Amino acid sequence: MWSLTAPPAVPATVAAAFWVSLLVLAVAVASAVALYGLRELRLAHLILRTETDSVLETPNGGYVELRGTVEPAAGALESPFTGTACVAYEYAVEEERSSKNGSSWTTISAGDEYVPFRLDDGSGSVLVEPPGADFRLDRDDRIRVDGGTEPPARIGAYIDWSEDVDCQNESVDLRLFELRTGSDRRFIERRLDVGDEAHVLGYARFDTDVGRAAGQVNAAVGVGESSLADDRFARLRHRLFGFPFVVSDRSERRLGLYTELLGFVLVAAGAGVVAVCLWLLCNLVLV
């Protein structure tokens, strides 16, 4: 005769080992978040407490902080929803969705694009190479299109091109009247426009191939070499302790305060999680 028996209980030591491993992993992740926050605080101190560098100093290399006017290095981009001439843009499409808890906006599509540009501070202009940049841009446009209505021409062209966003201008013929259907959407753009004032923090390198016209210096600004290293540990070390490559259209003060706030939040969150996990670890070990 077969008999059903209860499965063997999991030993307490195995369960404890699992929770210890989970808490150690949480401590490691939270510590990385706190270190990232400290990097942001150091960057904020640099932005708020030091003077910007001159473009003429960039051929000397090293980490630089520059502020100037944006000029396209070759051709400019056109932003997807407004057709504005720019050198970088980020976009998002949000759709309003309803649930039993109410309605909320959900991102259904997002993307970005950028091209090399020059930054002119009056003393000269330097080439900025965007790959790897952390763009911190303000929102420039948010266009709301209600469901069942015809979108503007450029947004309609984007919908036709996109595989993620379908047509929202739909209707159902109910004979007596036509019922408009489709969800409400918001089309959001963040841009670095041609002629904008921009703040750039990045690593400068001497390069005789990028400054051919009058007023152009022989240098380019972009990511640090260590961030592109083959060694993963070197890349991680740069990520946590090195200065980031930042491009922003915010004023120096606003960028510095935003970075400072972000740093405080990350440090507080990371340190709080570490403290809670260490307290739980101590209780598990002592039990």
PDB file of all heavy atoms in Angstrom, residues 130-148:
ATOM      1  N   PRO A 130      28.808  62.808 -28.052  1.00  0.00           N
ATOM      2  CA  PRO A 130      27.772  62.393 -27.105  1.00  0.00           C
ATOM      3  C   PRO A 130      27.746  60.926 -26.673  1.00  0.00           C
ATOM      4  O   PRO A 130      27.168  60.649 -25.612  1.00  0.00           O
ATOM      5  CB  PRO A 130      26.469  62.743 -27.846  1.00  0.00           C
ATOM      6  CG  PRO A 130      26.852  63.750 -28.863  1.00  0.00           C
ATOM      7  CD  PRO A 130      28.234  63.372 -29.283  1.00  0.00           C
ATOM      8  N   PRO A 131      28.248  59.926 -27.435  1.00  0.00           N
ATOM      9  CA  PRO A 131      28.090  58.544 -26.974  1.00  0.00           C
ATOM     10  C   PRO A 131      28.582  58.352 -25.533  1.00  0.00           C
ATOM     11  O   PRO A 131      29.690  58.746 -25.185  1.00  0.00           O
ATOM     12  CB  PRO A 131      28.958  57.750 -27.958  1.00  0.00           C
ATOM     13  CG  PRO A 131      28.930  58.563 -29.209  1.00  0.00           C
ATOM     14  CD  PRO A 131      28.929  59.989 -28.748  1.00  0.00           C
ATOM     15  N   GLY A 132      27.730  57.755 -24.712  1.00  0.00           N
ATOM     16  CA  GLY A 132      28.063  57.517 -23.315  1.00  0.00           C
ATOM     17  C   GLY A 132      27.672  58.643 -22.389  1.00  0.00           C
ATOM     18  O   GLY A 132      27.876  58.549 -21.172  1.00  0.00           O
ATOM     19  N   ALA A 133      27.082  59.728 -22.930  1.00  0.00           N
ATOM     20  CA  ALA A 133      26.736  60.879 -22.092  1.00  0.00           C
ATOM     21  C   ALA A 133      25.490  60.604 -21.255  1.00  0.00           C
ATOM     22  O   ALA A 133      24.582  59.895 -21.673  1.00  0.00           O
ATOM     23  CB  ALA A 133      26.512  62.120 -22.949  1.00  0.00           C
ATOM     24  N   ASP A 134      25.468  61.183 -20.068  1.00  0.00           N
ATOM     25  CA  ASP A 134      24.288  61.189 -19.208  1.00  0.00           C
ATOM     26  C   ASP A 134      23.577  62.515 -19.471  1.00  0.00           C
ATOM     27  O   ASP A 134      23.952  63.557 -18.938  1.00  0.00           O
ATOM     28  CB  ASP A 134      24.726  61.068 -17.745  1.00  0.00           C
ATOM     29  CG  ASP A 134      23.564  61.147 -16.773  1.00  0.00           C
ATOM     30  OD1 ASP A 134      22.400  61.223 -17.228  1.00  0.00           O
ATOM     31  OD2 ASP A 134      23.809  61.154 -15.549  1.00  0.00           O
ATOM     32  N   PHE A 135      22.546  62.481 -20.326  1.00  0.00           N
ATOM     33  CA  PHE A 135      21.816  63.693 -20.660  1.00  0.00           C
ATOM     34  C   PHE A 135      20.830  64.009 -19.535  1.00  0.00           C
ATOM     35  O   PHE A 135      20.007  63.174 -19.172  1.00  0.00           O
ATOM     36  CB  PHE A 135      21.061  63.535 -21.979  1.00  0.00           C
ATOM     37  CG  PHE A 135      21.929  63.626 -23.195  1.00  0.00           C
ATOM     38  CD1 PHE A 135      22.429  62.477 -23.793  1.00  0.00           C
ATOM     39  CD2 PHE A 135      22.270  64.854 -23.727  1.00  0.00           C
ATOM     40  CE1 PHE A 135      23.244  62.550 -24.912  1.00  0.00           C
ATOM     41  CE2 PHE A 135      23.080  64.946 -24.846  1.00  0.00           C
ATOM     42  CZ  PHE A 135      23.569  63.796 -25.445  1.00  0.00           C
ATOM     43  N   ARG A 136      20.938  65.222 -19.004  1.00  0.00           N
ATOM     44  CA  ARG A 136      20.024  65.675 -17.959  1.00  0.00           C
ATOM     45  C   ARG A 136      19.293  66.897 -18.511  1.00  0.00           C
ATOM     46  O   ARG A 136      19.719  68.036 -18.319  1.00  0.00           O
ATOM     47  CB  ARG A 136      20.791  65.980 -16.673  1.00  0.00           C
ATOM     48  CG  ARG A 136      21.568  64.760 -16.176  1.00  0.00           C
ATOM     49  CD  ARG A 136      22.254  64.955 -14.851  1.00  0.00           C
ATOM     50  NE  ARG A 136      23.012  63.765 -14.482  1.00  0.00           N
ATOM     51  CZ  ARG A 136      23.635  63.578 -13.311  1.00  0.00           C
ATOM     52  NH1 ARG A 136      23.601  64.533 -12.392  1.00  0.00           N
ATOM     53  NH2 ARG A 136      24.299  62.465 -13.065  1.00  0.00           N
ATOM     54  N   LEU A 137      18.205  66.617 -19.211  1.00  0.00           N
ATOM     55  CA  LEU A 137      17.495  67.638 -19.969  1.00  0.00           C
ATOM     56  C   LEU A 137      16.137  67.936 -19.351  1.00  0.00           C
ATOM     57  O   LEU A 137      15.466  67.039 -18.819  1.00  0.00           O
ATOM     58  CB  LEU A 137      17.294  67.174 -21.416  1.00  0.00           C
ATOM     59  CG  LEU A 137      18.549  66.756 -22.190  1.00  0.00           C
ATOM     60  CD1 LEU A 137      18.168  66.212 -23.562  1.00  0.00           C
ATOM     61  CD2 LEU A 137      19.525  67.927 -22.322  1.00  0.00           C
ATOM     62  N   ASP A 138      15.736  69.200 -19.429  1.00  0.00           N
ATOM     63  CA  ASP A 138      14.396  69.572 -18.997  1.00  0.00           C
ATOM     64  C   ASP A 138      13.382  69.193 -20.069  1.00  0.00           C
ATOM     65  O   ASP A 138      13.717  69.093 -21.246  1.00  0.00           O
ATOM     66  CB  ASP A 138      14.320  71.080 -18.746  1.00  0.00           C
ATOM     67  CG  ASP A 138      14.969  71.469 -17.426  1.00  0.00           C
ATOM     68  OD1 ASP A 138      14.979  70.644 -16.495  1.00  0.00           O
ATOM     69  OD2 ASP A 138      15.461  72.610 -17.323  1.00  0.00           O
ATOM     70  N   ARG A 139      12.124  69.029 -19.636  1.00  0.00           N
ATOM     71  CA  ARG A 139      11.065  68.743 -20.599  1.00  0.00           C
ATOM     72  C   ARG A 139      10.758  70.002 -21.403  1.00  0.00           C
ATOM     73  O   ARG A 139      10.536  71.072 -20.849  1.00  0.00           O
ATOM     74  CB  ARG A 139       9.798  68.271 -19.877  1.00  0.00           C
ATOM     75  CG  ARG A 139       8.708  67.778 -20.825  1.00  0.00           C
ATOM     76  CD  ARG A 139       7.461  67.409 -20.060  1.00  0.00           C
ATOM     77  NE  ARG A 139       6.798  68.599 -19.550  1.00  0.00           N
ATOM     78  CZ  ARG A 139       6.061  68.634 -18.447  1.00  0.00           C
ATOM     79  NH1 ARG A 139       5.927  67.544 -17.720  1.00  0.00           N
ATOM     80  NH2 ARG A 139       5.480  69.749 -18.057  1.00  0.00           N
ATOM     81  N   ASP A 140      10.767  69.870 -22.718  1.00  0.00           N
ATOM     82  CA  ASP A 140      10.496  71.009 -23.581  1.00  0.00           C
ATOM     83  C   ASP A 140       9.046  71.044 -24.049  1.00  0.00           C
ATOM     84  O   ASP A 140       8.430  72.104 -24.082  1.00  0.00           O
ATOM     85  CB  ASP A 140      11.428  70.966 -24.802  1.00  0.00           C
ATOM     86  CG  ASP A 140      12.873  71.247 -24.417  1.00  0.00           C
ATOM     87  OD1 ASP A 140      13.171  72.414 -24.143  1.00  0.00           O
ATOM     88  OD2 ASP A 140      13.689  70.311 -24.378  1.00  0.00           O
ATOM     89  N   ASP A 141       8.508  69.897 -24.421  1.00  0.00           N
ATOM     90  CA  ASP A 141       7.134  69.861 -24.941  1.00  0.00           C
ATOM     91  C   ASP A 141       6.434  68.603 -24.455  1.00  0.00           C
ATOM     92  O   ASP A 141       7.038  67.521 -24.376  1.00  0.00           O
ATOM     93  CB  ASP A 141       7.130  69.882 -26.472  1.00  0.00           C
ATOM     94  CG  ASP A 141       7.406  71.272 -27.027  1.00  0.00           C
ATOM     95  OD1 ASP A 141       6.508  72.124 -26.941  1.00  0.00           O
ATOM     96  OD2 ASP A 141       8.518  71.500 -27.522  1.00  0.00           O
ATOM     97  N   ARG A 142       5.154  68.752 -24.122  1.00  0.00           N
ATOM     98  CA  ARG A 142       4.284  67.608 -23.823  1.00  0.00           C
ATOM     99  C   ARG A 142       2.964  67.866 -24.540  1.00  0.00           C
ATOM    100  O   ARG A 142       2.235  68.777 -24.195  1.00  0.00           O
ATOM    101  CB  ARG A 142       4.062  67.439 -22.326  1.00  0.00           C
ATOM    102  CG  ARG A 142       3.236  66.186 -22.009  1.00  0.00           C
ATOM    103  CD  ARG A 142       3.175  65.913 -20.528  1.00  0.00           C
ATOM    104  NE  ARG A 142       2.385  66.920 -19.821  1.00  0.00           N
ATOM    105  CZ  ARG A 142       2.247  66.936 -18.498  1.00  0.00           C
ATOM    106  NH1 ARG A 142       2.867  66.034 -17.759  1.00  0.00           N
ATOM    107  NH2 ARG A 142       1.513  67.881 -17.922  1.00  0.00           N
ATOM    108  N   ILE A 143       2.714  67.048 -25.537  1.00  0.00           N
ATOM    109  CA  ILE A 143       1.536  67.229 -26.383  1.00  0.00           C
ATOM    110  C   ILE A 143       0.528  66.130 -26.047  1.00  0.00           C
ATOM    111  O   ILE A 143       0.827  64.939 -26.193  1.00  0.00           O
ATOM    112  CB  ILE A 143       1.919  67.162 -27.873  1.00  0.00           C
ATOM    113  CG1 ILE A 143       2.998  68.211 -28.180  1.00  0.00           C
ATOM    114  CG2 ILE A 143       0.707  67.361 -28.758  1.00  0.00           C
ATOM    115  CD1 ILE A 143       3.658  68.023 -29.528  1.00  0.00           C
ATOM    116  N   ARG A 144      -0.639  66.537 -25.605  1.00  0.00           N
ATOM    117  CA  ARG A 144      -1.683  65.558 -25.275  1.00  0.00           C
ATOM    118  C   ARG A 144      -2.606  65.383 -26.473  1.00  0.00           C
ATOM    119  O   ARG A 144      -3.047  66.360 -27.079  1.00  0.00           O
ATOM    120  CB  ARG A 144      -2.484  66.011 -24.058  1.00  0.00           C
ATOM    121  CG  ARG A 144      -3.656  65.067 -23.742  1.00  0.00           C
ATOM    122  CD  ARG A 144      -4.260  65.344 -22.410  1.00  0.00           C
ATOM    123  NE  ARG A 144      -5.439  64.501 -22.202  1.00  0.00           N
ATOM    124  CZ  ARG A 144      -5.787  63.993 -21.031  1.00  0.00           C
ATOM    125  NH1 ARG A 144      -5.062  64.229 -19.965  1.00  0.00           N
ATOM    126  NH2 ARG A 144      -6.871  63.241 -20.922  1.00  0.00           N
ATOM    127  N   VAL A 145      -2.867  64.121 -26.790  1.00  0.00           N
ATOM    128  CA  VAL A 145      -3.790  63.799 -27.884  1.00  0.00           C
ATOM    129  C   VAL A 145      -4.869  62.883 -27.313  1.00  0.00           C
ATOM    130  O   VAL A 145      -4.577  61.772 -26.856  1.00  0.00           O
ATOM    131  CB  VAL A 145      -3.072  63.103 -29.059  1.00  0.00           C
ATOM    132  CG1 VAL A 145      -4.069  62.765 -30.158  1.00  0.00           C
ATOM    133  CG2 VAL A 145      -1.944  63.989 -29.599  1.00  0.00           C
ATOM    134  N   ASP A 146      -6.097  63.358 -27.298  1.00  0.00           N
ATOM    135  CA  ASP A 146      -7.200  62.563 -26.756  1.00  0.00           C
ATOM    136  C   ASP A 146      -7.543  61.422 -27.698  1.00  0.00           C
ATOM    137  O   ASP A 146      -7.410  61.531 -28.926  1.00  0.00           O
ATOM    138  CB  ASP A 146      -8.432  63.436 -26.537  1.00  0.00           C
ATOM    139  CG  ASP A 146      -8.200  64.481 -25.451  1.00  0.00           C
ATOM    140  OD1 ASP A 146      -7.372  64.214 -24.555  1.00  0.00           O
ATOM    141  OD2 ASP A 146      -8.843  65.546 -25.507  1.00  0.00           O
ATOM    142  N   GLY A 147      -7.985  60.311 -27.118  1.00  0.00           N
ATOM    143  CA  GLY A 147      -8.384  59.166 -27.918  1.00  0.00           C
ATOM    144  C   GLY A 147      -9.516  59.494 -28.870  1.00  0.00           C
ATOM    145  O   GLY A 147     -10.443  60.228 -28.509  1.00  0.00           O
ATOM    146  N   GLY A 148      -9.409  59.002 -30.086  1.00  0.00           N
ATOM    147  CA  GLY A 148     -10.450  59.239 -31.065  1.00  0.00           C
ATOM    148  C   GLY A 148     -10.318  60.556 -31.798  1.00  0.00           C
ATOM    149  O   GLY A 148     -11.234  60.940 -32.531  1.00  0.00           O
TER     150      GLY A 148
END
